[in-house]
């Protein structure tokens, strides 16, 4: 039982490049979330999903897209990376009737 | 303005000593409050969760308190250990499940 995993762990992009971050969970959780964490700020919600095939915008969705084609996977895409997207990205999941979110180890992204 | 404010931003304590971290929030209506521990380079891990009707919750050497009237919470670490060095994040949930995260308190425990 690996919990929540994220790939890659680190990535450096040039401005304008695209990439996809993968989040996978093996706990059969309904809800999945993508956050970004910046110095001096709390985690901010980018997008979330309440089930397979559904996604919704969070607090800071601009510049990101997501997909939830399979229940266990939640993908975060950057179509044209910008330096403002330099951050640490965390994925989380939780069960339908539970309060607690379980977080992945994070992906550190640098956009030059 | 962040609806969850934590203090201090950082603190250094000697191994074996106690410390208390503060969290003030303005989230309303309020559902529950959680404290997470985040080790460097890792994701946050839940320590405690309290609903509005609870005023204290313990997890080993960690004790969280909640005063829903004054919208304040604290996390007390007893007999600190080197492994307690981490960022501690206060997270408040509104009734619709939306989470508001504090910026965290960075704790460094020195030998």
């Amino acid at each position: 039982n690996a919990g929540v995993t994220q790939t890659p762990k680190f990535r450096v992009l040039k401005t304008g490049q695209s990439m996809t971050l993968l989040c996978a969970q093996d706990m059969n959780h309904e809800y999945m979330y993508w956050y970004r964490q910046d110095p001096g700020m709390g985690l901010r919600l980018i997008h979330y999903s309440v089930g397979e095939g559904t996604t919704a915008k969070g607090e800071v969705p601009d510049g990101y897209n997501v997909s939830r084609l399979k229940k266990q996977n939640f993908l975060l895409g950057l179509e044209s990376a910008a330096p403002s997207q330099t951050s640490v990205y965390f994925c989380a999941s939780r069960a339908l009737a539970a309060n607690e979110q379980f977080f992945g180890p994070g992906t550190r992204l640098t956009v030059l | 303005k962040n609806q969850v404010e934590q203090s201090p931003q950082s603190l250094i304590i000697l191994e074996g000593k106690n410390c208390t971290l503060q969290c003030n929030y303005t989230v309303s209506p309020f559902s529950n409050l959680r404290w997470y521990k985040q080790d460097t380079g890792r994701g946050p891990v839940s320590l405690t969760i309290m609903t509005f009707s609870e005023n204290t919750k313990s997890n080993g050497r960690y004790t969280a308190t909640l005063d829903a009237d004054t919208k304040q919470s604290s996390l007390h670490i007893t007999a600190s250990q080197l492994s307690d060095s981490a960022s501690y994040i206060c997270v408040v949930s509104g009734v619709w499940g939306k989470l508001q995260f504090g910026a965290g308190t960075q704790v460094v425990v020195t030998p």
Side-chain angles (χ1 to χ4, degrees):
Chain A
N1 189 333
V4 180
T5 58
Q6 293 182 232
T7 53
K9 288 186 169 54
F10 304 93
R11 185 73 185 269
V12 177
L13 290 178
K14 293 181 179 178
T15 297
Q17 287 185 316
S18 63
M19 78 162 295
T20 300
L21 282 66
L22 170 63
C23 175
Q25 52 95 4
D26 60 3
M27 298 174 283
N28 202 35
H29 286 172
E30 293 292 336
Y31 291 80
M32 296 188 74
Y33 308 83
W34 275 108
Y35 295 93
R36 59 179 289 173
Q37 187 176 40
D38 300 297
M41 302 179 71
L43 274 78
R44 292 180 293 168
L45 182 63
I46 304 171
H47 285 281
Y48 64 99
S49 168
V50 300
E52 182 179 324
T54 71
T55 62
K57 294 181 179 180
E59 183 183 352
V60 287
D62 294 342
Y64 305 95
N65 56 75
V66 289
S67 64
R68 184 107 181 261
L69 299 180
K70 293 182 179 180
K71 185 177 184 179
Q72 64 267 34
N73 295 337
F74 195 28
L75 305 179
L76 178 71
L78 287 73
E79 289 188 350
S80 179
S84 61
Q85 294 177 304
T86 293
S87 187
V88 182
Y89 292 85
F90 287 99
C91 175
S93 71
R94 75 170 173 92
L96 184 60
N99 281 319
E100 184 176 356
Q101 291 188 19
F102 293 85
F103 286 83
T107 294
R108 183 173 293 275
L109 175 66
T110 301
V111 182
L112 302 175
Chain B
K1 188 179 189 306
N2 198 347
Q3 296 185 58
V4 180
E5 298 285 347
Q6 292 187 243
S7 61
Q9 271 190 321
S10 61
L11 68 91
I12 300 174
I13 60 173
L14 289 175
E15 187 178 11
K17 298 296 185 182
N18 304 335
C19 68
T20 300
L21 316 180
Q22 300 291 340
C23 174
N24 295 337
Y25 63 93
T26 59
V27 177
S28 181
F30 160 83
S31 174
N32 59 70
L33 185 146
R34 314 119 185 263
W35 283 93
Y36 280 85
K37 178 187 180 187
Q38 184 177 18
D39 292 314
T40 300
R42 309 288 291 272
V45 175
S46 179
L47 289 175
T48 64
I49 179 169
M50 293 179 289
T51 65
F52 64 89
S53 61
E54 297 175 289
N55 54 28
T56 187
K57 184 70 71 79
S58 290
N59 179 357
R61 294 179 296 100
Y62 300 101
T63 299
T65 65
L66 172 64
D67 185 335
D69 291 331
T70 61
K71 293 184 166 51
Q72 295 180 326
S73 176
S74 65
L75 181 69
H76 186 76
I77 304 176
T78 302
S80 60
Q81 299 177 359
L82 296 179
S83 59
D84 293 330
S85 294
S87 178
Y88 292 85
I89 302 172
C90 175
V91 185
V92 180
S93 176
V95 292
W96 302 116
K98 180 181 177 183
L99 300 185
Q100 295 284 352
F101 290 78
T105 292
Q106 187 68 43
V107 174
V108 175
V109 181
T110 63

